[in-house]
Amino acid sequence: GTVAFAMPNGTCLAATFNEELSEELYSMEGLELRKNHVDTLLGPGINIHRHPLNGRNFEYFSEDPLLAGKCCAADVRGIQSQKIAASVKHFACNNRESNRFECDSRVSERALREIYLRGFEICVKEADPWTIMSSYNLINGCHTSVSYELLTEMLRNEWGFKGMVTTDWGVHSNHSDEVLAGNDVKMGDGEPEELKAAFENGKITRADLETSVKRILELTMKVAE
């Protein structure tokens, strides 16, 4: 319900091949978000243009992971220069629009690293996004929101990501499994009863919960400055 100006979509910005322009534009976007008391932008989207029927192609940048990564990093630097968090999404392999909650992207590790994850890696290393949103889909049989390999081993341990990870809205996986994987927030309402039961039966520990809380509070302090 807030009046705001419309940004050029991701594909349009990528066509300029101009990182400096994108960073300046998204710095102004950050100013507008701050004026409207919005502390996080749910974007940029950085998935690969794999199929023409993907309903999110307009907001993604390119079929090329290097171009996508460079464009995304520029946007994130611009937004966060105004103390507004960028939530880079959808991590990862969101390649279609139908059955997004349960579709399974079957991808080799080489293709994942060289194509579908490369843009995310570039953005993390060059722009330090404060938050990343996991996707609805599965990758090789595992929902991304409960993938320890993806969210902790690769994103945090390999790439050095230090921010908060959030799910997409209403993803079909258990809250406690997400916490154990490295997903800090379950949107939109979480599953407090399932999380409480997992704590009481020993599935998750206080330390697991405190790790997520710490990341949430760190993000809150960044946007509150």
Side-chain angles (χ1 to χ4, degrees):
T2 299
V3 176
F5 68 85
M7 298 288 284
N9 66 34
T11 309
C12 181
L13 289 175
T16 69
F17 290 82
N18 192 327
E19 295 175 61
E20 184 179 347
L21 177 65
S22 290
E23 186 169 342
E24 182 179 0
L25 184 64
Y26 268 80
S27 176
M28 291 188 286
E29 170 77 352
L31 282 172
E32 183 183 55
L33 289 165
R34 182 160 289 281
K35 176 181 179 294
N36 289 327
H37 306 290
V38 177
D39 56 31
T40 304
L41 177 71
L42 299 180
I46 192 179
N47 293 91
I48 291 296
H49 287 177
R50 181 179 181 272
H51 192 281
L53 297 183
N54 186 345
R56 294 300 185 91
N57 277 348
F58 70 95
E59 66 178 287
Y60 299 151
F61 295 102
S62 174
E63 78 285 355
D64 179 82
L66 176 62
L67 178 59
K70 291 290 187 178
C71 289
C72 186
D75 290 359
V76 170
R77 288 193 299 267
I79 297 166
Q80 294 186 171
S81 70
Q82 305 301 325
K83 306 300 182 183
I84 300 296
S87 187
V88 178
K89 62 183 187 180
H90 303 89
F91 191 57
C93 295
N94 178 61
N95 299 321
R96 55 187 281 181
E97 193 62 20
S98 60
N99 193 29
R100 288 176 66 201
F101 286 94
E102 301 299 339
C103 64
D104 189 1
S105 300
R106 299 298 180 99
V107 196
S108 70
E109 182 174 358
R110 180 175 180 179
L112 276 171
R113 288 183 176 273
E114 293 184 359
I115 301 173
Y116 299 101
L117 300 179
R118 181 65 174 137
F120 288 98
E121 180 182 6
I122 291 170
C123 184
V124 167
K125 291 181 176 179
E126 295 189 4
D128 187 26
W130 295 347
T131 177
I132 283 179
M133 182 192 296
S134 55
S135 56
Y136 285 134
N137 56 280
L138 299 84
I139 298 179
N140 298 331
C142 178
H143 272 108
T144 63
S145 60
V146 297
S147 175
Y148 182 86
E149 181 180 17
L150 186 68
L151 302 181
T152 297
E153 291 183 352
M154 186 173 295
L155 179 61
R156 299 187 188 279
N157 296 346
E158 287 191 33
W159 299 350
F161 177 70
K162 298 180 177 63
M164 186 197 80
V165 176
T166 176
T167 71
D168 206 339
W169 268 241
V171 67
H172 295 174
S173 49
N174 289 332
H175 198 162
S176 58
D177 292 333
E178 293 164 359
V179 169
L180 292 172
N183 219 320
D184 303 303
V185 174
K186 184 178 185 69
M187 297 301 295
D189 300 319
E191 296 173 350
E193 294 304 316
E194 192 276 334
L195 202 62
K196 180 181 178 182
F199 173 72
E200 291 175 345
N201 67 29
K203 179 180 177 181
I204 59 174
T205 66
R206 182 183 179 90
D208 295 325
L209 296 170
E210 288 177 345
T211 296
S212 291
V213 170
K214 179 175 182 289
R215 293 170 184 153
I216 296 167
L217 291 177
E218 286 173 345
L219 175 63
T220 303
M221 294 303 294
K222 286 177 181 177
V223 298
E225 290 180 1

